[in-house]
Amino acid sequence: RKEVEQDPGPFNVPEGATVAFNCTYSNSASQSFFWYRQDCRKEPKLLMSVYSSGNEDGRFTAQLNRASQYISLLIRDSKLSDSATYLCVVNAYNFGNEKLTFGTGTRLTIIP
Amino acid sequence: GAGVSQSPRYKVTKRGQDVALRCDPISGHVSLYWYRQALGQGPEFLTYFNYEAQQDKSGLPNDRFSAERPEGSISTLTIQRTEQRDSAMYRCASSLGGGANTGELFFGEGSRLTVL
């Protein structure tokens, strides 16, 4: 089983709609969680951290369910500029070392 | 520099040759990471440094791959006796420190390696 699993999509969503996707992780000892965004042919960039209590940043809401070991990202009122690949990222904290493990990414296309 | 700088941006080499990929992190960043990204996949962890110390190399695929950061700044990822399966985008990232906890990694534009 992969450490971090995501539905690769693609998700094709009309402009203005709400879209949500999940990510599951296998290491129950994982400490921290993030969503990164990667535009086509570009480098990944941090979109937002995911806190235990859930958090919101404008149209974006991230939630964490430790019991079920999944993370979600909700995008409301989607814009054309939201078209990108969204990468779920987990801190696989292990014996004092730290590394971020990326999922495969979910590809989102917003349709005019 | 303003951002993470990687060179070369593109490298085409013949199978069996050695290649060296360079990463110049953001000035003052303590942590430096190497990832490999295949088309349609997420970045795959290779190795990670704090200052000059290689903290984790568990992601290096085999002993043909090595990395160093001798003075705690610029890093080099070396692939010996390249094989076609090594073809990928190699991405370097840096962070202030304790990067994994803050989650903010700053990636360079990557070095695309093609092995013929």
Side-chain angles (χ1 to χ4, degrees):
Chain A
R1 183 184 173 188
K2 288 185 179 179
E3 289 183 63
V4 180
E5 294 202 64
Q6 295 182 250
D7 180 346
F11 284 61
N12 298 315
V13 174
E15 192 175 7
T18 295
V19 60
F21 22 84
N22 292 339
C23 158
T24 58
Y25 61 94
S26 61
N27 185 352
S28 59
S30 297
Q31 298 288 318
S32 45
F33 311 89
F34 313 92
W35 285 100
Y36 272 65
R37 170 189 169 132
Q38 185 170 23
D39 292 302
C40 188
R41 303 183 195 280
K42 298 289 188 180
E43 68 274 20
K45 293 183 179 178
L46 179 66
L47 176 66
M48 60 195 301
S49 302
V50 185
Y51 303 127
S52 297
S53 55
N55 50 298
E56 192 173 304
D57 183 1
R59 297 180 295 106
F60 297 82
T61 300
Q63 292 198 313
L64 166 65
N65 184 318
R66 283 190 185 272
S68 301
Q69 294 181 206
Y70 78 80
I71 308 149
S72 65
L73 179 68
L74 179 81
I75 306 175
R76 291 182 300 278
D77 186 25
S78 53
K79 313 290 185 190
L80 296 176
S81 58
D82 294 334
S83 297
T85 295
Y86 291 84
L87 297 158
C88 174
V89 187
V90 174
N91 174 7
Y93 188 82
N94 184 35
F95 300 112
N97 294 329
E98 299 174 292
K99 68 180 186 183
L100 295 186
T101 301
F102 285 73
T104 301
T106 297
R107 187 173 170 187
L108 174 66
T109 301
I110 305 301
I111 304 165
Chain B
V4 177
S5 177
Q6 291 187 246
S7 62
R9 290 287 310 280
Y10 302 92
K11 176 69 177 179
V12 180
T13 191
K14 291 184 178 179
R15 187 175 48 148
Q17 297 295 305
D18 297 350
V19 297
L21 307 177
R22 173 189 162 117
C23 173
D24 192 351
I26 293 173
S27 179
H29 276 197
V30 167
S31 302
L32 185 146
Y33 299 76
W34 282 100
Y35 283 83
R36 177 170 69 175
Q37 188 170 21
L39 199 61
Q41 301 293 313
E44 173 194 9
F45 173 83
L46 296 177
T47 187
Y48 145 65
F49 293 84
N50 266 346
Y51 299 101
E52 73 282 359
Q54 191 170 22
Q55 298 288 347
D56 188 334
K57 56 180 181 179
S58 61
L60 295 176
N62 51 60
D63 60 8
R64 296 187 297 107
F65 287 73
S66 63
E68 62 175 9
R69 193 186 185 198
E71 297 178 2
S73 179
I74 292 169
S75 177
T76 302
L77 176 70
T78 301
I79 309 172
Q80 296 179 310
R81 305 181 302 281
T82 52
E83 301 178 5
Q84 287 185 324
R85 60 179 171 157
D86 299 335
S87 297
M89 176 72 83
Y90 288 82
R91 295 194 182 277
C92 175
S94 70
S95 68
L96 280 168
N101 282 332
T102 66
E104 180 107 55
L105 297 188
F106 296 86
F107 282 87
E109 292 183 300
S111 292
R112 180 166 293 285
L113 174 65
T114 302
V115 182
L116 302 177

